[in-house]
Amino acid sequence: MSNYDALFPRNFHKMLPVAVRGEGSWLFSADGRKFLDASGQAAVVNIGHGVPEIGRAMAEQSSQLAFAHTSQFHSAPAEKLAARLLALAPPNFRNGGRVYFTSGGSEATETAIKLVRQYHLEKGQSARYRILSRHQSYHGSTLGAMTVSGNLARRAPYQPLLAEWGHIAPCFCYHCPFEKTFPQCHLACADDLDFFLEGKEADSAAAFIFEPVVGATLGAAVPPEGYAARIAEICRKRGILLIADEVMTGMGRTGKPFAVQHLGVEPDIILVGKGIASGYAPLGAVLVSQNVVEAFEKGTGSFKHGFTYQAHPVATAAGNAVLDYIETHNLFARVAPAAQALSAALAQLQSHHHVGEIRGLGLLLGIEFVRDKSTHAPYDHSQVIADKIRSAAMEEGVLTYPIQGCVNGTSGDHILLAPPFIITTEESALIAEALTSALSKVFPN
Ligand SMILES: Cc1ncc(COP(=O)(O)O)c(C=O)c1O
């Protein structure tokens, strides 16, 4: 039973500690324990916990101007943050791109879905409405975002409420859906989009949404060379927009401001959330490239969509303060060496007979646990291996992010590691030690 009885919890059967303080890469609970936050909670806390400058900037903004409705006013912090994000984005966002701020990642996905639909209406293509996506993906928990998500377990209870717009194969070399190997596969998983669009309903396709590195659902699966470029080429050829969901991978998590910058593609829309305000405020953003903006400017000029709290002055002030902190401490540049130190520390786990793969990019790493290392066969999901690892690591004082379903939506166990960019080499060693101990408890033989 829950130890709190007024809050509606995520799980009524779990006892959770009460978090009271955060500092750097550490969280402290009311019962006197401290935890090393190896997952940045859920890949959120990029700059670390308890940075006083952020709270000060938010307090200052809220005493100056806490709220003004976006149908009546613009606000300076939102405009400033929008310009800074566009300057970090790929070139097609820099001249004439715009940013739509939301209160989180799911709202960003919802906004993109409607933006794409209206874009095609503005261009006179009223048949286009389907947003295609991949199996085993996650783009948020609201109904539109779940419609484009491909995670079976999260969709299952809500199936009757969800439209079916089409999902293609995931890009997941460790469990290739075509049982092929790169490069002999010739990127069959990318061509799956083309095959789908040869179908009779191709004229209703509006966009394709993908995570450049698949975070939660596949445990930091990085696409092979050429995948994203092939996908971008198919989208252009078929007249549909490309949406990069960078809610988890954006704002430096992979070592560049946006993960697509490793892959050399220019999507039409980029979604941001999580790290944009590093957990200090609920904030998300939709970066809209110049070609999409132009369709609205030359068309009706009015986007039929809105949230009361969009472009919130205090939330965007938090975003600006986080970016100031990143710039002052050169934190984007810190990701690559910190990731190298963490990967080096984790290398000792690789030989464990139930560690299938350690993968990822920058400070977004996944560790997949398998029953049989030679065949990559997963444990039955009823064994809840990932959560057992989380629990054992937590007993050692290290927080991880466990998920099941990477193989087929239900089976497949992994944990995500996404620590703050300030993680030290000593802290990385603590993470590896805690996981070694967790592995020996969960797999005693
Ligand atoms: C890739 C991706 N998109 C969207 C979301 C939804 O974001 P939020 O939980 O802020 O609504 C998430 C959350 O985990 C995510 O990982």
Side-chain angles (χ1 to χ4, degrees), residues 104-106 138-140 211 245 247-248 274:
S106 301
Y138 182 63
H139 299 292
E211 291 169 79
D245 179 348
V247 167
M248 195 173 269
K274 294 186 183 274

Side-chain angles (χ1 to χ4, degrees), residues 1-336:
M1 295 300 288
S2 169
N3 48 343
Y4 264 38
D5 56 14
L7 268 176
F8 197 106
R10 283 181 178 244
N11 187 330
F12 281 87
H13 304 294
K14 261 191 187 164
M15 291 282 284
L16 300 178
V18 178
V20 289
R21 191 168 72 81
E23 189 183 329
S25 297
W26 295 82
L27 279 173
F28 300 80
S29 61
D31 55 10
R33 286 184 290 165
K34 66 179 217 176
F35 302 97
L36 178 53
D37 190 4
S39 59
Q41 291 304 280
V44 171
V45 185
N46 288 3
I47 66 166
H49 297 276
V51 175
E53 290 93 313
I54 316 301
R56 279 201 288 272
M58 293 172 74
E60 204 170 301
Q61 180 59 47
S62 111
S63 55
Q64 185 79 27
L65 171 77
F67 183 75
H69 199 275
T70 45
S71 63
Q72 293 169 11
F73 293 100
H74 289 308
S75 77
E79 174 62 19
K80 181 176 174 189
L81 185 59
R84 295 173 84 180
L85 293 178
L86 293 170
L88 292 171
N92 60 325
F93 289 82
R94 288 191 208 142
N95 289 312
R98 298 244 178 189
V99 179
Y100 192 107
F101 287 110
T102 63
S103 301
S106 301
E107 280 189 7
T109 304
E110 293 295 330
T111 300
I113 290 170
K114 290 168 79 177
L115 191 76
V116 162
R117 167 64 182 157
Q118 200 180 325
Y119 163 84
H120 286 295
L121 290 177
E122 301 288 358
K123 300 286 261 187
Q125 303 226 19
S126 60
R128 294 197 182 275
Y129 70 96
R130 284 167 179 262
I131 317 290
L132 310 176
S133 55
R134 300 184 293 191
H135 291 293
Q136 319 280 76
S137 58
Y138 182 63
H139 299 292
S141 62
T142 48
L143 289 176
M146 283 192 66
T147 294
V148 294
S149 296
N151 181 277
L152 287 181
R154 292 183 189 187
R155 282 172 67 99
Y158 307 106
Q159 202 62 49
L161 312 183
L162 304 176
E164 185 43 74
W165 291 335
H167 294 88
I168 67 159
C171 175
F172 193 15
C173 296
Y174 191 66
H175 296 281
C176 175
F178 301 95
E179 296 182 2
K180 293 185 175 183
T181 310
F182 181 78
Q184 289 78 18
C185 64
H186 300 298
L187 297 171
C189 53
D191 286 341
D192 206 36
L193 179 61
D194 215 22
F195 291 136
F196 189 95
L197 291 169
E198 272 167 13
K200 60 180 176 357
E201 300 194 270
D203 292 347
S204 59
F208 178 69
I209 182 169
F210 80 123
E211 291 169 79
V213 176
V214 185
T217 49
L218 296 187
V222 183
E225 180 78 30
Y227 172 84
R230 178 83 59 87
I231 287 284
E233 181 193 314
I234 295 167
C235 289
R236 300 279 175 266
K237 182 178 85 179
R238 299 283 184 174
I240 68 173
L241 297 178
L242 179 61
I243 307 169
D245 179 348
E246 297 240 21
V247 167
M248 195 173 269
T249 54
M251 304 314 294
R253 169 84 17 222
T254 64
K256 290 189 190 273
F258 300 102
V260 287
Q261 290 161 326
H262 292 279
L263 309 178
V265 293
E266 294 188 354
D268 301 291
I269 294 171
I270 297 178
L271 310 183
V272 189
K274 294 186 183 274
I276 183 174
S278 202
Y280 288 83
L283 186 63
V286 182
L287 277 60
V288 188
S289 63
Q290 187 270 339
N291 61 319
V292 178
V293 172
E294 196 182 76
F296 283 77
E297 283 172 343
K298 291 188 174 163
T300 61
S302 151
F303 182 26
K304 305 279 182 293
H305 176 66
F307 301 106
T308 297
Y309 284 135
Q310 72 187 61
H312 193 277
V314 180
T316 49
N320 278 309
V322 166
L323 259 185
D324 290 343
Y325 192 84
I326 285 171
E327 283 171 10
T328 308
H329 299 271
N330 207 8
L331 288 189
F332 285 161
R334 194 132 192 252
V335 171

